[in-house]
Amino acid sequence: MWQFFHKLGSPKWFYGIATRLMPWLLVIGTALLMAGIVWGLAFAPKDYLQGDSYRIIFIHVPTAFLAQSAYIMMAVAAVVTLVWRMKLADVFVKAVAPVGLVITFLSLFTGAVWGKPTWGTWWIWDARLTSMLILLFLYGGVIALDRAINDEKSAARAVAVLVLVGVVNIPIIKYSVEWWNTLHQPATFKLTEKPSMPAEMWVPLLLAVLGMYLIFGWLACVRMQTEILAREQKTRWVKDLVMAGRH
Amino acid sequence: MHPIRKKRLTIVLFLLAGIGVAVGLTTYALRQNINLFYDPSQIAAGEAPHDVRIRAGGMVEKGSVVRDPDTLKVRFRVTDFQSSVPVEYTGILPDLFAEGQGVVAMGKLDAGGNFVADQVLAKHDENYMPPEVAESLKKTADGQPVANGAAQSASY
């Protein structure tokens, strides 16, 4: 286990693994996401109350899940950066933050589009929506802080501390709809209970969620590889790699 | 684990616990401000201020909606199955507004205990189902009105 952990710290080793993994992530991820969205938008039954407008759930929920999961992954990487000083963990945080920003924006945007026809408003300052907006700002803050510090090591530590401070927002997002009165409804999916929707709705939703996670994995690999190449450009293996690609 | 790493890990854990406690206490102290709306029970207990813009939320009581035939004025009662508050509103209601559905109204409590709303938003629950299922559920529930009421109070 520790051997794997140490290997994971090697950018060269990760670069190779990522190259082999990426086609699978992209192909399976796209297939699952497409299947989930097409099934959800065209074939799943409509809702008894909201009719067809609930179908945006097939995009809204995957983005909202991923927005929070990506942040949790960044927080784990931040602990690894601070405690073990592993370079690859920092590469991960740096690579994933912009992806998280876009995904969080998408989840807020689809939520607003859904809110207008159902609730009657694009936006309301309830606990769920506000904590999600804070998550968007946290991603923005992580990107800005990283760019503001030129020294790679200081930037890595400062960003890791910011990511960790922000992680308290995650349970707040999750439980906001239970702790306080909100306009947003409570979670349809709970770990301990059956989903509050029939299988012909939650199966396509689950496919879309899985697909979204795999595509996120692919994006993370692409961006981490780019970052690794930029950081390791003076090393032998990167020079060999570039030369090999040239002929 | 290397002693230096152990120390760093301890610092990280203390940092997390500290922030957690700080944020926890802050949100606990601000809980009434974070709550989006007052329940009818809170309004009945006098917790909600008069003549200040507040939100009231709950279920639209069955059989309580009275529409004015000439204007857009509508009156209904919002309930949490313990207390209820009369609401007056002039304007277009959201599509999901219906008796037995959740709403959040924004406005002021007048001296007579009426809630004069200038905005009414619909609140829906986390349950989704095809129309046929909802129809058959309704049929079964009509035979057992008590179970139906209990299910609604749990999910609004």
Side-chain angles (χ1 to χ4, degrees):
Chain A
M1 185 238 123
W2 283 105
Q3 202 194 351
F4 175 76
F5 194 65
H6 285 295
K7 263 192 187 167
L8 199 63
S10 146
K12 184 186 170 189
W13 182 83
F14 176 83
Y15 193 95
I17 285 287
T19 311
R20 269 187 280 161
L21 215 60
M22 274 158 55
W24 296 102
L25 289 172
L26 182 63
V27 170
I28 301 174
T30 314
L32 285 177
L33 185 65
M34 282 299 135
I37 287 182
V38 170
W39 184 353
L41 294 188
F43 300 106
K46 54 165 116 170
D47 181 52
Y48 76 108
L49 186 63
Q50 300 180 34
D52 283 322
S53 65
Y54 96 100
R55 290 184 199 275
I56 201 167
I57 201 173
F58 295 104
I59 300 167
H60 177 69
V61 165
T63 51
F65 275 6
L66 185 56
Q68 296 167 72
S69 306
Y71 199 91
I72 296 173
M73 293 180 219
M74 275 170 53
V76 172
V79 173
V80 175
T81 303
L82 288 175
V83 177
W84 285 276
R85 303 273 191 262
M86 192 189 279
K87 276 194 221 159
L88 208 58
D90 171 47
V91 170
F92 176 79
V93 173
K94 204 174 168 182
V96 157
V99 182
L101 182 89
V102 172
I103 290 288
T104 311
F105 174 79
L106 279 177
S107 111
L108 284 167
F109 180 78
T110 51
V113 171
W114 192 5
K116 185 63 188 166
T118 49
W119 299 340
T121 183
W122 299 98
W123 181 261
I124 190 160
W125 292 99
D126 87 345
R128 171 57 70 83
L129 276 64
T130 309
S131 54
M132 207 61 194
L133 186 67
I134 292 173
L135 183 68
L136 182 78
F137 293 158
L138 277 169
Y139 278 121
V142 166
I143 297 168
L145 185 63
D146 184 62
R147 301 244 171 118
I149 303 172
N150 281 327
D151 179 57
E152 206 173 80
K153 278 183 186 162
S154 334
R157 286 175 207 176
V159 163
V161 172
L162 175 62
V163 170
L164 276 184
V165 169
V167 84
V168 283
N169 190 37
I170 296 294
I172 295 182
I173 296 176
K174 171 100 178 69
Y175 292 107
S176 54
V177 288
E178 291 170 27
W179 289 342
W180 301 293
N181 288 337
T182 54
L183 186 61
H184 194 287
Q185 70 282 4
T188 296
F189 296 94
K190 297 171 200 85
L191 279 179
T192 49
E193 289 167 45
K194 283 200 296 183
S196 335
M197 52 167 45
E200 61 261 44
M201 290 178 182
W202 69 254
V203 173
L205 187 48
L206 183 70
L207 294 183
V209 169
L210 290 176
M212 194 73 94
Y213 275 77
L214 292 183
I215 290 177
F216 167 80
W218 173 75
L219 264 175
C221 284
V222 174
R223 296 184 53 87
M224 283 176 79
Q225 282 197 331
T226 315
E227 179 69 22
I228 288 171
L229 287 185
R231 286 190 185 193
E232 310 265 312
Q233 50 184 299
K234 298 225 169 66
T235 60
R236 186 65 191 267
W237 73 270
V238 171
K239 280 180 187 158
D240 289 349
L241 191 79
V242 174
M243 295 313 279
R246 205 170 264 175
H247 61 76
Chain B
M1 202 190 282
H2 196 281
I4 293 183
R5 288 178 187 155
K6 207 169 213 168
K7 198 176 144 198
R8 286 187 200 141
L9 188 62
T10 322
I11 296 174
V12 166
L13 291 179
F14 267 104
L15 174 87
L16 277 177
I19 300 162
V21 170
V23 173
L25 289 174
T26 314
T27 48
Y28 182 72
L30 293 174
R31 63 193 180 283
Q32 192 51 64
N33 299 49
I34 299 174
N35 274 332
L36 185 72
F37 53 83
Y38 288 94
D39 293 327
S41 306
Q42 287 175 305
I43 294 174
E47 283 177 42
H50 284 249
D51 292 321
V52 179
R53 273 169 68 80
I54 56 165
R55 288 198 183 92
M59 299 278 270
V60 180
E61 206 170 278
K62 292 217 163 131
S64 74
V65 179
V66 181
R67 288 173 200 269
D68 186 45
D70 303 321
T71 63
L72 286 174
K73 198 164 180 178
V74 58
R75 294 164 154 279
F76 53 91
R77 298 184 71 84
V78 167
T79 176
D80 60 357
F81 303 103
Q82 282 159 18
S83 314
S84 71
V85 178
V87 179
E88 273 179 46
Y89 173 68
T90 307
I92 295 165
L93 291 161
D95 290 351
L96 290 195
F97 179 92
E99 291 180 359
Q101 285 295 325
V103 285
V104 174
M106 182 146 183
K108 285 180 186 171
L109 265 182
D110 68 12
N114 281 315
F115 192 85
V116 184
D118 49 40
Q119 183 194 39
V120 173
L121 299 176
K123 180 169 160 60
H124 63 83
D125 64 21
E126 72 279 26
N127 301 303
Y128 303 89
M129 57 183 120
E132 311 85 65
V133 178
E135 197 58 39
S136 65
L137 268 184
K138 209 176 161 193
K139 270 183 201 151
T140 2
D142 282 343
Q144 308 150 320
V146 181
N148 188 30
Q152 275 175 345
S153 64
S155 64
Y156 90 87

